[in-house]
Each structure stands twice: as C-alpha cells, then as structure tokens.
Amino acid sequence: MLFNEYHQISKNRRQADAARRDHTDVTSPEHFKTTYYKSYDRFPHIVLPKPESIEQSYSNIIIKRESGRNNKKESITLQALSNILYYSCGELSSHALDGRGRRAVSSAGARYPLEVYILTINPNDALSNGLYHYRPDLHVLEYIYEHALTPEEKDSLFIHTWVDACSLAIVMSSLMERNVGKYKERGYRYTLLEAGAMGQALQNASTVENISSCIYGGIYDNTLEELLDVDGVTETIVNTVVLN
Ligand SMILES: Cc1cc2nc3c(=O)[nH]c(=O)nc-3n(C[C@H](O)[C@H](O)[C@H](O)COP(=O)(O)O)c2cc1C
C-alpha cells in the first residue's frame, strides 16, 4: 500500500557516522530559522477585537468538547472569532530561544507551514460573506474577496449536506516547501500532525465560546483549493474545521 511505503521512507534512520545534535542547531541555514508569512497586503484588513482571556477551567473545556453538526448554540460574533483564532492559530509572544513569535500550537523546527483561511458558508454576525486569510502576526483578517456561496457551490465543496447550514469553514493549508525543504519526506508527516493539533485547538477554543464545531474531512479538496486560489501542490489543504 502506498501509505505504508510513504511511512517507511519518511522514518528517521540513524547513519553509522551521524553526529548527535543539540536542539539549537546553529549549523542550519538562515532560511530555516526565518518565519515566513503569506500576506494579501493590498486587500482590506479587518482588525479583530482584542482577544479576551479565558475564564473557564481547562478540565471543563475538555469535558465539554464534542463535534457538533448543526446544533447551533450561540451565533458567532467577531469577538468570538477573534478569541477562537488567537487561541488556536495566533502568534502570542516571543520564543525564549530566538525572539520569534511563539504560537498557540507547536511546529516542527518552528517552520510554521500552515496558513489559515476563513470561508463563510452562510451569512453570520461575525463576517460579511466571502473568503478571508488570517495573519497570525497582526491578528487581522485579510478580505480576499466578497462572495456568497450558492447551493450548487456548497454541493461541489462538501460531501455532507449538514455542512451547507454551517456559518463558516476554517481551512488550513500547508505551504509544503517550508517543511519538506528542511525535513524532506518526513516534513509531510509534520504538516499533518500540526494541522491536527491546530484542529484540536480550534475545537477547544470554539467550545469556550459555546460555538459548536466539527473537524471536517469531507471536503472536495480540488474545488475548495480552486476557491482559495491555491494550486493544491505547493500549497494544499490539510485540515478544515466548520463552525455551526
Ligand atoms: C480528521 C477528522 C476528520 C473528520 N471528518 C468528519 C467528517 O467528514 N464528517 C463528520 O461528520 N465528522 C467528521 N469528523 C468528526 C468525527 O466524526 C468525531 O470527532 C467523532 O465522531 C468523535 O466525536 P467527538 O468529536 O464528538 O468526540 C472528523 C474528525 C477528524 C479528527
């Protein structure tokens, strides 16, 4: 099976003459230590409200988390969306190690291969219809284009009909070269692991806001990638979370 072939070739294997390294790895090239941000600078910026601090207990959040399929609880507001994005995809403070922005979710070698887009599925209180890109360094949304999805488009994007009634989709893509440039085949594993961690963080943060969410594998990748205007190779979708 292809998956097993891939898994085997992407294992770390120790060479007889390999030197052990410490985690600061001073020999790595400068571009491996640089954080890259995709940006849509020329598009309107929607400044997200300052994230609020979370008052709920961690145990309560974990116990409450569940996948929701249209059991709408609260209508999503821009404040709630700001909180959700900040505590899952946001850049929070500086790394003690090198002063670069630390994020809510860890990243192999601090390569941060993931980009985050918001696609509205239905009119909602948080955002006008359309496609947005999240800038973790600025905590703003870049409004890429205005668009209301038609029923036919929803049909071409999602396998399951319940998604058609959701508010929005948070779509994670990976800019593969950021990871595979350094880690080769294994870099692909890392992007998927990170997308999973980010999905979990998004669900936890949505739970705090009492907004029902579901990690959603049932997208038609190529159609959604076309909507995002990414080529599906150098930048490809790796996870999607829908908010009800
Ligand atoms: C990678 C992944 C893909 C998923 N894809 C779907 C999906 O396409 N449709 C769906 O209804 N739920 C999907 N789910 C949600 C799971 O069905 C759900 O997590 C599972 O039933 C356990 O329920 P819980 O999350 O409420 O604990 C997905 C979850 C994960 C982690």
Side-chain angles (χ1 to χ4, degrees):
M1 290 281 278
L2 264 182
F3 80 84
N4 196 33
E5 248 171 73
Y6 166 73
H7 194 77
Q8 298 309 318
I9 62 166
S10 63
K11 283 182 176 175
N12 282 333
R13 290 177 206 280
R14 186 163 162 75
Q15 309 284 318
D17 59 350
R20 298 200 64 209
R21 293 176 293 174
D22 75 21
H23 71 287
T24 56
D25 198 4
V26 286
T27 58
S28 71
E30 209 46 49
H31 65 276
F32 289 169
K33 298 179 216 157
T34 306
T35 302
Y36 296 97
Y37 300 94
K38 187 171 186 184
S39 68
Y40 294 82
D41 282 334
R42 287 178 298 112
F43 293 89
H45 281 196
I46 287 127
V47 178
L48 292 166
K50 190 171 178 289
E52 297 166 325
S53 64
I54 298 172
E55 305 299 339
Q56 292 176 45
S57 75
Y58 189 63
S59 54
N60 192 38
I61 296 162
I62 300 303
I63 288 163
K64 263 175 55 190
R65 186 216 63 83
E66 63 179 349
S67 298
R69 298 168 189 83
N70 268 350
N71 46 348
K72 271 201 168 58
K73 290 174 183 155
E74 297 285 327
S75 164
I76 187 157
T77 61
L78 195 60
Q79 179 68 62
L81 186 61
S82 167
N83 297 348
I84 291 169
L85 290 171
Y86 187 70
Y87 292 112
S88 54
C89 323
E91 195 170 280
L92 313 172
S93 61
S94 291
H95 262 291
L97 199 62
D98 58 11
R100 284 195 286 156
R102 193 175 58 77
R103 306 228 183 150
V105 168
S106 69
S107 176
R111 299 301 304 126
Y112 301 111
L114 304 182
E115 294 291 334
V116 174
Y117 300 85
I118 319 283
L119 175 69
T120 61
I121 303 174
N122 282 293
N124 61 81
D125 294 342
L127 294 171
S128 305
N129 286 323
L131 179 71
Y132 301 78
H133 172 252
Y134 178 61
R135 284 285 297 269
D137 52 333
L138 305 175
H139 194 56
V140 303
L141 291 174
E142 294 161 325
Y143 195 6
I144 302 174
Y145 58 76
E146 187 188 338
H147 181 66
L149 290 182
T150 63
E152 294 72 31
E153 283 174 318
K154 291 177 190 174
D155 198 40
S156 72
L157 287 169
F158 312 119
I159 292 174
H160 304 96
T161 50
W162 62 264
V163 183
D164 296 6
C166 286
S167 304
L168 47 88
I170 301 175
V171 185
M172 290 156 252
S173 72
S174 173
L175 273 154
M176 286 295 172
E177 184 53 31
R178 289 183 192 165
N179 254 37
V180 296
K182 179 169 183 182
Y183 297 110
K184 308 291 184 280
E185 272 69 23
R186 197 173 177 81
Y188 181 58
R189 287 202 207 193
Y190 290 161
T191 63
L192 301 185
L193 290 170
E194 289 176 40
M198 192 176 274
Q200 176 71 38
L202 277 163
Q203 269 213 306
N204 289 349
S206 304
T207 305
V208 172
E209 302 302 324
N210 213 21
I211 287 164
S212 135
S213 68
C214 190
I215 296 182
Y216 185 62
I219 57 154
Y220 291 111
D221 303 60
N222 290 339
T223 323
L224 190 50
E225 283 167 350
E226 247 173 61
L227 243 157
L228 262 51
D229 194 24
V230 301
D231 66 9
V233 180
T234 55
E235 181 174 357
T236 190
I237 295 171
V238 283
N239 202 1
T240 301
V241 177
V242 290
L243 302 188
N244 296 178

